[in-house]
Amino acid sequence: MKAVIRTAPGGPEVLQFVERPLPVPGPGEVRVRVHVSGLNPTDWRSRRRALPPGVDEQVPHQDGAGVIDAVGPQVDPARIGQRVWIWEAAWERPWGTAQEYTLVPDPHAVALPGHAPFELGAALGIPALTAHRALTVHDGGPGRLAPGTLHGTTVLVAGGAGAVGNAAVQLARWAGARVVTTVSSPAKAALARAAGAHRVVDYRTQDAAAEILSFAPAGVDIVVEVAPGANAALDRAVAAQGAVIAYYSGGENEELSVPVLSSLSANLRWQSVFVYTVPYAAKQQALADVAAAVDAGALRVGEDAGLPLHRFTLEHAAHAHAALEQGIVGKVLLDVA
């Protein structure tokens, strides 16, 4: 089979297009014929780091979608032929989705309904599970998402044109929240509106705090934050009493400076969200809720859903990594099958 591997840390040039034997699923594993592999910023960031201890080569990419074609012992054979989306394929494992066939633990292959395209399946994983966690850590709020669970809640999504931001807007709308998002250009504003944001604020040309508070005079209850260091002052200015600022990203040397007294008096929570180490029960709930949102047609991809798709072939994985690392707007995918 064809695969992309790396044997050392570095830039996109360390990715190699190779032939590898067809893997055989072990106990509790399924083998998936990958149709589409999804890229995330953690994929290129991990590419720049050393391989895990004891691993000589690694196939990158956590997310993907395809069809189960074989199962190992302790897995229901009825799963063979099932369309699935994959999450955390390469987390502490050598097998990612940048190959024609990959192995994952059975629970890491989630049923993908027939109406959902493989490109949607490959775009779920990290972005949707991260967004779900950020939307469910509010004190007194729901630990799950479903229609109506965020009714009466106002959500601010920083960077509504990004992959996590897009998922957060769509999931928050599905759950009944009022959603405002910040962007940095008219083009990104159009994408955020397509995702379903009720109000879009261009922070480069508008007074972001004033615009957000005009939409939510009592403040926002949940902030889904991509740049906590840069946006801490804005988040504090627009946060409601008891709000949570759930941040999931940041630069290599980015630091978060929290205004102590105003945060204290407002009972604010500054909550980090690292999808890989989310508590087990919360991860299981996120998987169930995201699957339900997909089944309901509440999660979509493509420009008309606010998330343009940029497709590369498997052999051009290095070009895909370079495009994502350079900040291309939208979802980067590898067409594998």
Side-chain angles (χ1 to χ4, degrees):
M1 69 169 184
K2 295 176 175 62
V4 173
I5 66 167
R6 71 178 182 105
T7 58
E13 70 281 354
V14 303
L15 298 175
Q16 306 170 48
F17 185 60
V18 300
E19 287 280 347
R20 283 293 179 268
L22 194 65
V24 177
E29 290 183 327
V30 299
R31 186 174 69 197
V32 179
R33 172 70 166 101
V34 180
H35 283 243
V36 183
S37 176
L39 279 71
N40 295 288
T42 53
D43 292 315
W44 67 257
R45 287 174 179 147
S46 63
R47 188 201 65 230
R48 291 187 169 275
R49 294 193 289 269
L51 290 165
V55 175
D56 296 324
E57 65 177 48
Q58 187 170 41
V59 177
H61 304 172
Q62 305 289 347
D63 298 342
V67 177
I68 294 175
D69 83 316
V71 301
Q74 303 165 21
V75 178
D76 185 354
R79 295 214 72 187
I80 294 174
Q82 188 176 55
R83 302 171 81 251
V84 294
W85 57 276
I86 300 167
W87 57 280
E88 291 180 23
W91 176 244
E92 299 181 335
R93 290 170 56 83
W95 298 101
T97 64
Q99 56 186 343
E100 291 183 309
Y101 295 84
T102 193
L103 301 181
V104 293
D106 182 31
H108 286 241
V110 182
L112 184 68
H115 66 76
F118 286 122
E119 54 262 34
L120 170 61
L124 297 172
I126 289 174
L129 298 179
T130 297
H132 183 283
R133 177 64 173 171
L135 292 169
T136 54
V137 291
H138 185 221
D139 277 343
R144 60 183 295 263
L145 297 180
T149 57
L150 290 181
H151 179 72
T153 301
T154 302
V155 176
L156 166 61
V157 178
V164 175
N166 175 273
V169 171
Q170 293 194 66
L171 286 171
R173 282 295 309 264
W174 179 59
R178 299 176 71 241
V179 183
V180 56
T181 183
T182 54
V183 296
S184 60
S185 71
K188 291 180 178 180
L191 294 176
R193 290 190 189 96
H198 293 96
R199 177 74 67 88
V200 180
V201 177
D202 186 334
Y203 63 82
R204 289 184 172 171
T205 61
Q206 297 175 282
D207 182 332
E211 291 292 327
I212 293 166
L213 289 173
S214 72
F215 175 76
V220 301
D221 304 296
I222 300 170
V223 181
V224 182
E225 183 57 76
V226 66
N231 293 337
L234 172 62
D235 293 340
R236 172 62 196 95
V238 302
Q241 283 284 121
V244 61
I245 297 95
Y247 57 96
Y248 62 88
S249 185
E252 193 68 30
N253 298 307
E254 185 173 345
E255 294 187 359
L256 174 60
S257 179
V258 176
V260 174
L261 290 182
S262 58
S263 293
L264 184 69
S265 61
N267 278 291
L268 296 188
R269 185 203 298 179
W270 301 80
Q271 170 76 51
S272 58
V273 173
F274 186 62
V275 68
Y276 300 103
T277 55
V278 164
Y280 177 81
K283 181 72 71 65
Q284 296 307 301
Q285 187 64 62
L287 290 166
D289 294 349
V290 169
V294 171
D295 196 49
L299 283 170
R300 302 177 298 124
V301 292
E303 191 147 5
D304 62 343
L307 193 68
L309 302 179
H310 308 282
R311 310 185 82 133
F312 296 79
T313 62
L314 186 62
E315 62 186 307
H316 291 124
H319 297 314
H321 272 241
L324 184 61
E325 196 167 348
Q326 290 162 13
I328 195 169
V329 177
K331 188 66 185 180
V332 177
L333 303 172
L334 295 184
D335 286 312
V336 181

